[in-house]
Structure formats: structure tokens, C-alpha cells
Amino acid sequence: MQLLTDSDIVHRTRRARYWSGRCDGREVPAYIEEPGVDARRRTETYAEIELEPDDLRWAGTKFRLRSGKALGADRKEVAVRFRPVPHLPLGHDEDVRPDVLRFGLEPESMSFDVTATGSRAETFTQLALTARMDAPELPAYGRLLLNVLRGDPALSIRGDEAEEAWRVLDPVLSAWERDLVPLEEYPAGSAGPPPRLASPELREDLLHEGIVMPPRLEAESAERLTAARPRRQPRTERPGHQAAPDDVVARRRRVIPIPRPTPCPGS
């Protein structure tokens, strides 16, 4: 993983803590009002970091890690967001949301949010394909402890993996201690702090997807996006293109007769 500079940490990491709100049907006090919490320590309850592998094969692929307390939904998942296609079929000029493949960790599940052709060829529709696995006999930590007792390292990490993780995170923690990244706040029971990018064409935050903007702002942003997208020009209107003369067009459309094969003698 590429090491983050102080400038990277400011733009690619976030820290926050929750204030009072309602979570799981009960009132939750602010974190600093919880018993035993020292507000002067500025301890965060939400952390987010965006990393990028230092590898040509994975160039341009971002890994966003996020964890938080007192969130509205208890989600443990890995979400793979596919890059948008470079072009759309003819007749389509609307903004298409990228496909997302989600692996649920607890409970174990898998879902695929994909954009497909709708009831008509010129329309798109959103499809959600979901599969849910049977619940395991033991919870996640139970399986981990059982593997430790059996001497099975499949669910454990090696020492060099732990050292590499600290090598990447140490600069981030140091920058947070120096308050280079502001400590944001979010209400208990919400999806965390609001996303920094709040427009559909730039939306990359899968946690807040679909609830980022009010409908009025969504419509205005969609209009700006449509106006900014260049329209396909007919062939005769393209710069530097000259229309073919009528006689050339007629020759192109002329049907050339194909002679019948001559039968062999005696057939």
C-alpha cells in the first residue's frame, strides 16, 4: 500500500464521534456523556481511510475502509464497486449508476446491484440479485478461537502482515493526534458523518448511496450533467465531413445481380 503523506491524510481520511440520538429504538447519549469517557481525549468513534495499492495491476483501484459505533444499521460487508462503462449503447444518454457486488459477513450473504436493459431497449432498470447463506454454527469470534485451538492459521494473520498494517496506519494516527484532520460529529442512529461529495455524478460513498441529496437538488444536478454531456452529431454535421454525391449514394445502393452457376454436362 502507498504510504499517505500529511496532505493525503487530510483528504483521504475521516474521523468523527457520535452525539445523542436514537439507535435500535432507544435513546443514546452523546459519546462524551457516556460513563468513564474523558471528553478531553477527543477519542473518535468513527474512522475512515482510503488506500491505494502500489502495484501496476491494481493502479487506480481504491480501497475504502470504514468502521464506526452507534450507526443506524449493523452492517458488516465488503462492497465492490465496478468502474462505469466508457460508453453506453446508442440512444442512451442518462446517468447510469455503477454496478455493486456486496459480500455480507454477518449474516453471510451476497447481493449484486446491476443496471440492466428495461422493458424497452432504450430504457434502463435497476436489478438486485440476492443470495443468503445458512447461518454458521458458531459466530465469527467462535470460529476464530476454535481454529486457534486446532492450530489452524487460516483465519489469522502473520506477523509481517501486522507490521505492514501498522506501517501504513502509524502516519495516520500521528496526523490525527496533531489534529490535521478535524474531529467531525454525527448523530447516533445515522449512517455516520455526511459524505463530502454530494452529487450523483461524483458519488462514490456506498454507505450513503441513494440518500445523499434531496430530490430537488438531485434533479438540478442531473440537468447540469445532461447539459454538460456532448450530444452525438449526425454524420453530415461532423466537422470536416462532406456528404457523398447522389450518384455515389445510388451506386452504393445498387443491387448487383449474381449469375447462376452453369450446370455440369450430363447433370
Side-chain angles (χ1 to χ4, degrees), residues 5-219:
T5 63
D6 285 350
S7 177
D8 293 333
I9 294 172
V10 171
H11 294 93
R12 299 170 64 175
T13 70
R14 304 184 72 182
R15 55 195 290 252
R17 66 183 178 191
Y18 65 85
W19 71 75
S20 59
R22 189 171 184 83
C23 187
D24 292 334
R26 61 184 181 88
E27 296 295 331
V28 177
Y31 176 72
I32 58 176
E33 298 175 355
E34 296 279 4
V37 174
D38 186 356
R40 295 172 298 179
R41 300 190 61 178
R42 295 174 59 80
T43 302
E44 58 274 341
T45 60
Y46 177 96
E48 180 178 326
I49 180 173
E50 185 181 280
L51 300 173
E52 189 170 341
D54 191 7
D55 184 272
L56 289 177
R57 175 174 295 182
W58 292 90
T61 303
K62 300 176 182 179
F63 288 77
R64 183 179 288 114
L65 309 178
R66 178 191 290 117
S67 181
K69 296 181 178 180
L71 299 178
D74 187 10
R75 297 170 57 177
K76 301 176 183 178
E77 68 175 14
V78 177
V80 182
R81 178 182 183 272
F82 292 89
R83 291 190 176 101
V85 294
H87 69 279
L88 296 175
L90 296 178
H92 294 279
D93 58 356
E94 57 186 289
D95 184 32
V96 178
R97 302 171 72 175
D99 299 338
V100 180
L101 178 61
R102 303 177 187 271
F103 298 92
L105 303 181
E106 192 175 349
E108 296 182 4
S109 63
M110 184 175 66
S111 64
F112 189 28
D113 302 331
V114 60
T115 301
T117 304
S119 57
R120 295 177 296 174
E122 65 274 10
T123 61
F124 285 137
T125 186
Q126 299 294 326
L127 298 180
L129 310 178
T130 305
R132 187 174 296 275
M133 291 70 168
D134 294 335
E137 297 180 358
L138 295 174
Y141 280 111
R143 298 196 298 272
L144 176 62
L145 294 176
L146 182 60
N147 278 20
V148 170
L149 296 176
R150 291 176 174 174
D152 184 355
L155 300 180
S156 303
I157 63 173
R158 301 185 317 192
D160 56 351
E161 292 182 72
E163 292 176 0
E164 177 68 10
W166 282 112
R167 183 186 72 88
V168 174
L169 292 178
D170 264 340
V172 177
L173 297 178
S174 175
W176 287 6
E177 290 178 355
R178 290 178 282 139
D179 282 336
L180 293 183
V181 178
L183 182 62
E184 304 177 52
E185 293 184 328
Y186 63 96
S190 68
R196 290 173 175 170
L197 301 180
S199 58
E201 61 269 28
L202 298 177
R203 181 184 300 151
E204 296 182 354
D205 193 333
L206 298 179
L207 185 66
H208 300 83
E209 191 171 21
I211 58 172
V212 177
M213 303 175 65
R216 180 181 60 82
L217 297 182
E218 286 275 7

